[in-house]
Amino acid sequence: MMEIELPKLNPSQQDMDMIDILWKQDIDLGAGREVFDFSYRQKEHELQKQRDLEEEKRRQMLLEREKALLAQLQLDEETGEFVPRSVPSGQPQSASDTPSEVSQNVGFTVDGDAMSFDECMELLAQTFPLVESSETASTCLGTATPPTTNSQLIMAPEQPPLAQTPLLPATQKSWPDLDQAWMELLSIPELQQCLNMQMPEITEPSDYLSTNSAPEDPSYGLFMPGLTDTVVTQPEVCPPEFMGNYEVSFPGAGPANLLSQMSLKAPDTVVSGNTDEFCEMFYPDMLNTAKVSETPHPCNTVSGVCQVTETPDCSPVKPLDMRELSSGDPFEMSKGEMATEFPDSDSGLSLDASPNMSSPEKSTFEDGSLGFSDSDMDDTDSGPGSESDYSEMFSLPFETTSPSGTTTNTPRSRRQDRNGKHHKTEPAEASGHSKPPFSKDKAKRRSESRLSRDEQRAKTLRIPFTVSMIINLPVDDFNELMSKHQLNEPQLALVRDIRRRGKNKVAAQNCRKRKMENIVGLEFDLDSLKEERERLQREKTEHSSSLRQMKQQLNSLYLEVFGMLRDEQGRPYSPADYSLQQTSDGNVFLVPRVKKTLIKSDG
DNA sequence: TCCCGTTGTCATAGT
DNA sequence: CAACTATGACAACGG
């Protein structure tokens, strides 16, 4: 039932188109065009393997050298230094990072428990016979680099999928290790560099890009007029073929390949982010399948991928799934990515946050007038089918994050498969076929239903675009699109309403987010000001105390000085009659108080 | 049933 | 002036 027909209509061109689409959408992820090109990836893969091999060899050599070094040294109890135990007939040292005096005495021929590099390689080759010979070296990392290496994760077109199954349990158990190893792998600068270098060498990206006018927004190209023209006039320009090619090319490894390549091309995303999130982004279906499947493993998402990758027979990964996971709605996906990575853009809130999986009960009943079933929808939508494929491609967002979306994807693809190419699947429909496994965020359901309402309306009026297209297209392209389709007045009104609502929804979300941020900021300011006030009050208290003390000291000093003054007869001055005053120039005068008393007496 | 938080939508002012 | 954004207000919804 998961089989789909793969119409072979100008496959190469379609491949290129799809590559363009996927590539553009994944630019946001840091993925390059080569991610989608088999030849790229092959060469990339080769190069990476070489790099891995070199790296591992180098590490292994260092390890061996250290081992041998320690084996050949003994601690000099007098000096506390390690000194050569004997002079072995070792091989000449090639590394420069070993102390010269030591390297002269140490070789690779090992004594004791140390093994030679070749022995190690051989042992590892025997231990992991499934790994490519060139990769056995990398396994020398031991636990740090589990045997499941990039050859498996990235793509293994030449390897039968079953050949990897023996590793499956181990890899699933050791996924954290594998993740770590992957992160280490991906963090190797040379690796990334070399991956990036491959692109210009193999093909000029402009060759691909030339078909589109250069979009400013990476995802913009998805909505380029040319592309939409293609959509309209060429209904079969489609992902299924493209994906089909991939599936044919890499039996049982298509989506995983893509994922791995993506992860390679966008190491930051993988490394910095939670792998679960990452995989949920790309493999909602698979994850869901993995979770639903009876396999009891605590399936973190990576393991979900692993399952899909390594058990292609039962895998839900079919071209359509692939299309979805390769971002369901490419535009939305890319936007979502941008939103998450660059919060400034759209404040991390985009429409894709709004959902496209609508809860069936709500989506179908909330709009009473629109309460037809999904099958009805399918029937009503069987129309020209020209946009259906792209409508599917541009279908609403959030399948990537919503659990219900993930659960619904499989049935959705199934139905799409059944319907062949004439499947304009609305998100609402997609979710309508299976209930959310658990009560997820009500907000999401609400948003789903809301969007699905617009979707339903659009469908009712047979609007040939998806809501996401309507909302997200730049105004010029939107107008162009409108002009290309002869829409009647209600259709135009609905489309404008959908666009307005969609944009306003995002605006409202941003507004609320800002409001909350402002509140948080103000609370922070309030706390700071409270602290400041307390501090100032403490200072004031201290200063008052200090001032009082100084006044007392001054008074004492004054009395002391005044008491030392004597008149011509040697008698002390009376403090009642005289006072000491200091002028601005620093001179001190004895000023009689007589005047005051006189004034007082006069008064 | 009421309360409350969240979200979508509308109206309107501003950019 | 059109398109978009920001925001207050309101309603619907669900816990």
Side-chain angles (χ1 to χ4, degrees):
Chain A
M1 61 180 176
M2 298 297 288
E3 293 298 323
I4 58 168
E5 298 178 0
L6 303 176
K8 302 296 180 187
L9 196 150
N10 191 11
S12 60
Q13 180 57 35
Q14 291 164 8
D15 287 354
M16 289 304 103
D17 290 341
M18 192 58 195
I19 286 171
D20 280 333
I21 292 165
L22 291 175
W23 173 63
K24 280 171 181 140
Q25 82 189 36
D26 282 292
I27 281 177
D28 297 334
L29 299 173
R33 143 151 265 123
E34 68 280 9
V35 169
F36 305 101
D37 189 300
F38 180 48
S39 60
Y40 276 156
R41 292 189 291 175
Q42 266 189 326
K43 290 199 176 184
E44 210 174 82
H45 184 214
E46 297 287 331
L47 193 56
Q48 185 186 348
K49 284 196 295 185
Q50 288 181 5
R51 294 266 179 178
D52 286 349
L53 184 59
E54 291 174 5
E55 178 71 11
E56 298 312 319
K57 275 185 179 176
R58 197 175 60 81
R59 289 196 197 181
Q60 186 62 31
M61 286 177 67
L62 289 176
L63 275 176
E64 290 296 328
R65 199 171 303 140
E66 281 185 14
K67 264 189 192 175
L69 181 61
L70 291 176
Q72 311 249 343
L73 293 180
Q74 62 182 7
L75 184 64
D76 186 331
E77 296 178 356
E78 291 181 3
T79 62
E81 295 176 346
F82 280 101
V83 297
R85 202 177 270 165
S86 63
V87 181
S89 60
Q91 304 167 358
Q93 294 299 307
S94 60
S96 59
D97 49 355
T98 308
S100 59
E101 56 183 23
V102 170
S103 64
Q104 290 172 358
N105 299 326
V106 178
F108 285 121
T109 305
V110 201
D111 53 357
D113 51 357
M115 297 173 58
S116 74
F117 177 71
D118 290 340
E119 289 171 352
C120 177
M121 301 297 288
E122 195 173 303
L123 178 61
L124 285 167
Q126 292 170 358
T127 307
F128 303 103
L130 298 177
V131 183
E132 287 180 318
S133 60
S134 63
E135 301 234 351
T136 51
S138 23
T139 60
C140 288
L141 263 186
T143 56
T145 306
T148 304
T149 56
N150 40 352
S151 69
Q152 293 170 305
L153 282 177
I154 294 179
M155 59 179 177
E158 67 279 5
Q159 291 182 356
L162 285 178
Q164 301 169 10
T165 50
L167 293 176
L168 179 55
T171 49
Q172 283 185 339
K173 281 183 215 161
S174 61
W175 267 117
D177 288 343
L178 183 61
D179 288 349
Q180 190 176 357
W182 259 109
M183 290 174 187
E184 289 177 5
L185 248 175
L186 293 173
S187 63
I188 297 174
E190 308 94 281
L191 216 161
Q192 302 172 9
Q193 196 177 3
C194 101
L195 288 177
N196 291 331
M197 281 166 42
Q198 287 303 298
M199 186 158 66
E201 289 181 359
I202 299 173
T203 323
E204 278 301 314
S206 56
D207 295 340
Y208 294 99
L209 291 174
S210 60
T211 55
N212 290 332
S213 56
E216 296 158 11
D217 184 341
S219 57
Y220 173 86
L222 297 173
F223 296 105
M224 288 304 291
L227 208 50
T228 52
D229 288 346
T230 311
V231 174
V232 172
T233 61
Q234 224 178 346
E236 294 301 325
V237 164
C238 56
E241 289 82 0
F242 172 76
M243 301 320 300
N245 285 350
Y246 264 96
E247 191 165 42
V248 169
S249 301
F250 320 133
N257 291 346
L258 189 54
L259 171 65
S260 305
Q261 290 297 325
M262 284 175 170
S263 65
L264 272 179
K265 292 310 294 178
D268 292 342
T269 308
V270 183
V271 172
S272 63
N274 187 346
T275 53
D276 290 6
E277 295 172 0
F278 176 79
C279 290
E280 280 184 2
M281 279 192 309
F282 287 93
Y283 287 88
D285 293 352
M286 290 178 258
L287 295 182
N288 170 59
T289 307
K291 287 169 186 167
V292 172
S293 68
E294 65 265 349
T295 51
H297 328 303
C299 220
N300 71 19
T301 56
V302 181
S303 68
V305 175
C306 177
Q307 280 186 336
V308 169
T309 308
E310 300 178 350
T311 59
D313 293 340
C314 60
S315 164
V317 183
K318 289 295 174 182
L320 283 171
D321 291 335
M322 181 58 186
R323 186 174 46 190
E324 290 172 2
L325 65 85
S326 65
S327 81
D329 177 354
F331 188 91
E332 295 295 340
M333 180 64 177
S334 57
K335 272 206 84 173
E337 285 305 298
M338 290 176 62
T340 53
E341 293 184 8
F342 313 107
D344 290 343
S345 73
D346 220 3
S347 305
L349 290 170
S350 64
L351 265 190
D352 30 24
S354 58
N356 106 36
M357 319 71 48
S358 57
S359 66
E361 56 277 10
K362 195 164 183 298
S363 64
T364 51
F365 297 135
E366 187 168 297
D367 252 2
S369 59
L370 300 175
F372 26 59
S373 67
D374 295 339
S375 56
D376 290 340
M377 287 302 222
D378 286 345
D379 293 340
T380 58
D381 186 46
S382 56
S386 51
E387 307 87 359
S388 56
D389 289 334
Y390 266 78
S391 302
E392 172 66 20
M393 247 178 48
F394 292 135
S395 66
L396 287 174
F398 277 11
E399 297 171 359
T400 53
T401 55
S402 161
S404 84
T406 60
T407 57
T408 59
N409 280 338
T410 301
R412 170 183 173 184
S413 348
R414 205 184 307 133
R415 194 185 72 237
Q416 290 168 352
D417 295 346
R418 185 189 66 223
N419 292 342
K421 60 185 177 183
H422 114 103
H423 43 35
K424 175 175 181 175
T425 308
E426 298 280 346
E429 310 170 38
S431 59
H433 282 288
S434 69
K435 293 183 178 179
F438 55 92
S439 72
K440 55 176 210 154
D441 195 358
K442 64 175 180 183
K444 282 212 169 142
R445 263 178 293 182
R446 279 177 50 92
S447 56
E448 295 160 16
S449 64
R450 173 58 62 193
L451 256 192
S452 78
R453 216 161 28 176
D454 276 343
E455 290 268 338
Q456 299 274 359
R457 289 169 178 159
K459 193 155 272 191
T460 303
L461 292 188
R462 307 200 175 215
I463 293 182
F465 332 111
T466 62
V467 168
S468 63
M469 284 179 71
I470 292 171
I471 296 170
N472 295 308
L473 271 179
V475 62
D476 291 340
D477 297 329
F478 174 73
N479 290 332
E480 193 175 341
L481 197 63
M482 293 296 107
S483 63
K484 280 180 181 170
H485 293 265
Q486 301 301 323
L487 301 180
N488 57 31
E489 201 53 36
Q491 284 177 320
L492 286 174
L494 177 61
V495 166
R496 291 198 186 98
D497 279 349
I498 289 173
R499 186 173 174 86
R500 175 178 51 78
R501 278 195 290 264
K503 287 191 174 299
N504 188 249
K505 185 169 74 175
V506 176
Q509 288 169 341
N510 291 338
C511 182
R512 283 163 180 148
K513 186 184 176 189
R514 272 193 302 273
K515 190 187 284 184
M516 294 305 297
E517 288 171 351
N518 285 338
I519 290 173
V520 171
L522 288 173
E523 286 174 346
F524 180 80
D525 291 346
L526 184 62
D527 291 341
S528 301
L529 290 172
K530 282 179 179 175
E531 289 179 3
E532 176 79 0
R533 187 182 65 177
E534 291 176 1
R535 185 182 61 81
L536 291 174
Q537 283 179 340
R538 284 196 303 269
E539 286 183 4
K540 180 186 171 187
T541 305
E542 291 173 3
H543 292 158
S544 297
S545 169
S546 175
L547 181 63
R548 204 180 314 118
Q549 189 176 358
M550 289 174 70
K551 279 181 178 177
Q552 289 175 353
Q553 290 176 352
L554 178 64
N555 192 42
S556 302
L557 186 63
Y558 178 89
L559 292 176
E560 183 180 348
V561 171
F562 194 87
M564 295 172 67
L565 295 177
R566 294 293 183 270
D567 60 5
E568 294 83 1
Q569 288 82 26
R571 295 173 299 182
Y573 289 101
S574 167
D577 298 334
Y578 295 91
S579 67
L580 286 173
Q581 292 187 7
Q582 187 176 26
T583 59
S584 59
D585 58 1
N587 294 323
V588 178
F589 294 94
L590 185 65
V591 179
R593 298 179 190 265
V594 183
K595 199 172 184 178
K596 280 187 177 177
T597 58
L598 283 179
I599 291 174
K600 279 183 180 176
S601 63
D602 289 344

